[in-house]
């Protein structure tokens, strides 16, 4: 991940959440704080770039005009950019709140980007310690944005700068106050860029730090990733965009592959959501373009 990619990737994801919060009804995941981390100029610039790339997303769409620009932005955002970030965040935080009720004391967000959870749930300040682990460049970018948005530091929010996709190190986490306690991890939008061996190694390191009952939510691509075109070719577009950005997608898994990887690590699949299940849970009866992304699954995994 180079210096620009780390901040641009997080900015685009935040744009998707902010756009949904402001423009879409009903809400799948309402990140009403995300817009505070994006300047109006950036919000407009991202929309302009989407319009300029309309031929990539759909060559058959009409040429942009003043009358249809808003609909084209909506189409690209709802078809290509927003479905997975919105639904996986909704699922992750639903599981997280359940785990908090069951007594977890720590929440570790791997690849946090411009995540806003602590600022949307300030009532949890005395309940759970939050650790955001991310690439140093992305984390510096986020801290700057928080300051510019006048969002104050929070005592229970700890930043851990680390490129954990290369090598996970536990010491920086412990230096920020992490302890051997029941913990919930999130690993969203990351597994695609790791080899199967790298993912297994990361999970091994993470769960060595925590007791039984700790868990993680992650998303992953199934074995059809590199064959499936998807609605309006969006799966193929996703793979091509990742490669063009210098971070090609490396891994996809059959469900049985996940089981075989997790079992020797002492990890159990507690819940598994397929694309049809995600569609039914988060996108049912919508009248806009939003729908569950093909090939993408969610899992809640628990340490035995």
């Amino acid at each position: 991940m180079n210096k620009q990619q780390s901040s641009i990737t997080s900015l685009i994801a935040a744009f998707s959440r902010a756009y949904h919060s402001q423009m879409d009804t009903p809400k799948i995941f309402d990140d009403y704080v995300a817009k505070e981390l994006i300047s109006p100029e950036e919000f407009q610039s991202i929309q302009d770039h989407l319009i300029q790339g309309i031929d990539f997303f759909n060559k058959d769409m009409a040429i942009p005009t003043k009358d249809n620009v808003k609909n084209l932005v909506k189409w690209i955002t709802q078809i290509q950019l927003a479905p997975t970030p919105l639904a996986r965040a909704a699922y992750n935080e639903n599981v997280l709140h359940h785990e908090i009720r069951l007594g977890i004391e720590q929440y570790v967000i791997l690849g946090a980007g411009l995540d806003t959870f602590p600022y949307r749930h300030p009532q949890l300040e005395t309940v759970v310690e939050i650790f955001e682990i991310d690439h140093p460049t992305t984390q510096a970018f986020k801290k700057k944005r928080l300051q510019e948005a006048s969002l104050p530091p929070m005592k229970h929010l700890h930043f851990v700068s680390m490129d954990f996709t290369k090598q996970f190190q536990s010491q920086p986490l412990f230096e920020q106050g992490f302890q051997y306690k029941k913990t919930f991890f999130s690993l969203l939008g990351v597994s695609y860029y790791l080899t199967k061996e790298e993912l297994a190694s990361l999970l091994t390191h993470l769960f060595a730090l925590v007791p039984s009952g700790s868990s993680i939510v992650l998303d992953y691509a199934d074995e059809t990733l590199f064959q499936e075109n998807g609605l309006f070719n969006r799966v193929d577009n996703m793979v091509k965009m990742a490669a063009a950005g210098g971070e090609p997608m490396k891994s996809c898994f059959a469900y049985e592959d996940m089981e075989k990887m997790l079992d020797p690590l002492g990890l159990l699949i507690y819940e598994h959501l397929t694309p049809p299940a995600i569609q039914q849970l988060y996108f049912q009866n919508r009248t806009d373009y939003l729908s569950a992304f093909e090939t993408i699954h969610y899992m809640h995994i628990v340490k035995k």
Side-chain angles (χ1 to χ4, degrees):
M1 182 179 287
N2 66 37
K3 289 184 178 180
Q4 280 199 322
Q5 284 173 346
S6 57
S7 56
I8 290 174
T9 300
S10 59
L11 196 61
I12 293 297
F15 167 83
S16 298
R17 300 194 306 271
Y19 181 94
H20 182 68
S21 178
Q22 296 176 79
M23 306 293 186
D24 299 339
T25 302
K27 303 287 186 286
I28 295 168
F29 177 76
D30 190 7
D31 189 350
Y32 54 87
V33 178
K35 68 180 185 298
E36 303 297 328
L37 304 182
I38 307 174
S39 70
E41 293 77 18
E42 284 171 330
F43 199 89
Q44 185 59 52
S45 177
I46 291 171
Q47 293 187 78
D48 292 343
H49 278 85
L50 293 179
I51 292 299
Q52 291 167 16
I54 188 62
D55 282 347
F56 172 77
F57 296 109
N58 190 338
K59 293 180 181 179
D60 298 326
M61 296 285 285
I63 296 172
T65 66
K66 282 186 178 180
D67 293 332
N68 72 354
V69 161
K70 284 186 178 180
N71 192 53
L72 289 180
V73 170
K74 178 180 179 180
W75 188 92
I76 296 170
T77 303
Q78 292 188 344
I79 290 287
Q80 187 75 51
L81 301 183
T84 297
L86 293 174
R88 73 187 177 201
Y91 176 66
N92 177 74
E93 291 196 10
N94 181 61
V95 175
L96 170 59
H97 285 295
H98 179 70
E99 292 297 304
I100 289 173
R101 290 192 293 271
L102 293 178
I104 66 117
E105 299 179 65
Q106 298 175 141
Y107 174 34
V108 178
I109 312 172
L110 295 118
L114 295 177
D115 186 275
T116 63
F117 178 80
Y119 293 94
R120 286 181 286 108
H121 300 281
Q123 75 279 10
L124 296 175
E125 187 169 9
T126 60
V127 177
V128 62
E129 296 294 318
I130 301 171
F131 301 85
E132 293 194 4
I133 304 179
D134 215 332
H135 190 279
T137 302
T138 302
Q139 206 152 79
F141 176 72
K142 179 174 185 176
K143 289 178 179 178
K144 182 173 181 288
R145 288 308 168 96
L146 290 172
Q147 187 175 25
E148 291 171 348
S150 299
L151 291 171
M154 306 190 83
K155 291 181 180 179
H156 68 316
L157 175 58
H158 313 279
F159 293 102
V160 183
S161 294
M162 182 197 315
D163 187 354
F164 63 89
T165 63
K166 303 299 182 186
Q167 183 181 14
F168 181 83
Q169 298 175 310
S170 58
Q171 190 58 34
L173 193 55
F174 285 113
E175 288 173 356
Q176 289 296 322
F178 185 85
Q179 299 180 46
Y180 186 81
K181 293 180 177 179
K182 191 177 178 184
T183 301
F184 177 75
F185 300 97
S186 67
L187 184 71
L188 304 178
V190 175
S191 69
Y192 324 105
Y193 304 102
L194 303 178
T195 65
K196 294 176 181 180
E197 293 74 21
E198 288 170 340
L199 179 58
S201 176
L202 176 59
L203 293 174
T204 299
H205 282 94
L206 291 176
F207 283 96
L209 306 176
V210 294
S212 297
S214 297
S215 66
I216 188 169
V217 161
L218 58 79
D219 58 332
Y220 74 95
D222 67 29
E223 68 274 25
T224 67
L225 174 66
F226 299 110
Q227 291 82 43
E228 172 71 51
N229 288 327
L231 180 67
F232 293 103
N233 215 43
R234 62 181 177 179
V235 175
D236 188 49
N237 288 344
M238 175 181 68
V239 173
K240 288 178 178 176
M241 286 190 290
E247 286 191 287
M249 293 185 166
K250 298 178 181 179
S251 293
C252 53
F253 300 82
Y255 179 84
E256 293 74 18
D257 293 335
M258 293 295 289
E259 283 187 315
K260 289 177 182 177
M261 179 183 70
L262 297 170
D263 187 59
L265 305 181
L267 301 176
L268 174 72
I269 299 172
Y270 182 80
E271 186 174 36
H272 170 227
L273 293 188
T274 63
I278 295 166
Q279 175 69 27
Q280 185 172 9
L281 191 59
Y282 294 110
F283 299 95
Q284 197 79 340
N285 300 321
R286 294 195 70 90
T287 58
D288 53 20
Y289 305 118
L290 284 163
S291 64
F293 221 86
E294 302 86 351
T295 81
I296 306 302
H297 300 234
Y298 310 156
M299 273 189 176
H300 181 203
I301 299 163
V302 181
K303 183 175 182 178
K304 298 176 185 177

